[in-house]
Amino acid sequence: MVRVVRSCAQSILKLVNSIIGMAGTAMILYAIWLIRVWQREIGDFFPFEGSDYAAPWFIYTFLGLGVTLCVITCSGHIAAETANGCCLYFYMAFTFLLLMLEAAVTTDVFLNNDWEEDFPVDPSGSFNKFKNFIRSNFEFCKWIGFSVVSVQGLCILLAMILKALGPHQYYESDDDIDPARVPLLKNAVHPPYVVGSPAYGSHSNA
């Protein structure tokens, strides 16, 4: 029974974890598209010292978040496959830190009226375009964000279940052991065999 529950938890964790990987891949592709647009307009993605243009921090951040999500996805697949306690702890820690970062940014946006001043000026203009897109499609973006947060919470819950179940074991109960190899008495001690020359006793006369 434990083996079935563990296999189901592993499969569900891999499936749900793949959604985070797809989100990270989409963010990387969007960042690459922004890089191409920036290079077409400016001609240099990495501005050198003394340049008139500042670094496009929004593109850097978006690309870094996409790579981070993909790394978390890979670690989640390894943790789900091995069910190792150390891997599961690292996966839960990374996912929890990501959730805290998302919660901090969301709290700052909703509770701070001047939240735009907390971010530096983006020379590429991608931040303003992204902000206007979210404002024009707020309901859609709200459900997307809620879905991503729910998926991350579900991943943490499944990882905790796998950690409680423990890794795979060859024998989970006495029923899995071959009956032909089970001794009649548990912890039975077999007497040692002594090989020696036979002893011949003398026969008395009747």
Side-chain angles (χ1 to χ4, degrees), residues 108-186:
D108 182 53
V109 169
F110 280 97
L111 298 183
N112 187 9
N113 295 327
D114 299 329
W115 63 271
E116 297 180 9
E117 298 179 358
D118 296 336
F119 297 92
V121 179
D122 181 34
S124 65
S126 302
F127 179 66
N128 294 328
K129 295 178 182 178
F130 184 75
K131 180 178 59 178
N132 295 330
F133 175 79
I134 292 179
R135 286 177 176 175
S136 59
N137 303 275
F138 181 75
E139 290 296 328
F140 176 75
C141 295
K142 181 180 68 175
W143 285 109
I144 291 295
F146 180 75
S147 301
V148 172
V149 172
S150 301
V151 165
Q152 292 172 354
L154 182 59
C155 287
I156 295 177
L157 178 61
L158 291 172
M160 293 174 63
I161 294 175
L162 275 179
K163 180 62 182 67
L165 293 176
H168 288 282
Q169 296 179 358
Y170 187 75
Y171 293 133
E172 293 186 356
S173 63
D174 295 339
D175 298 334
D176 297 331
I177 306 177
D178 188 5
R181 299 183 179 181
V182 177
L184 295 178
L185 296 176
K186 292 185 177 180

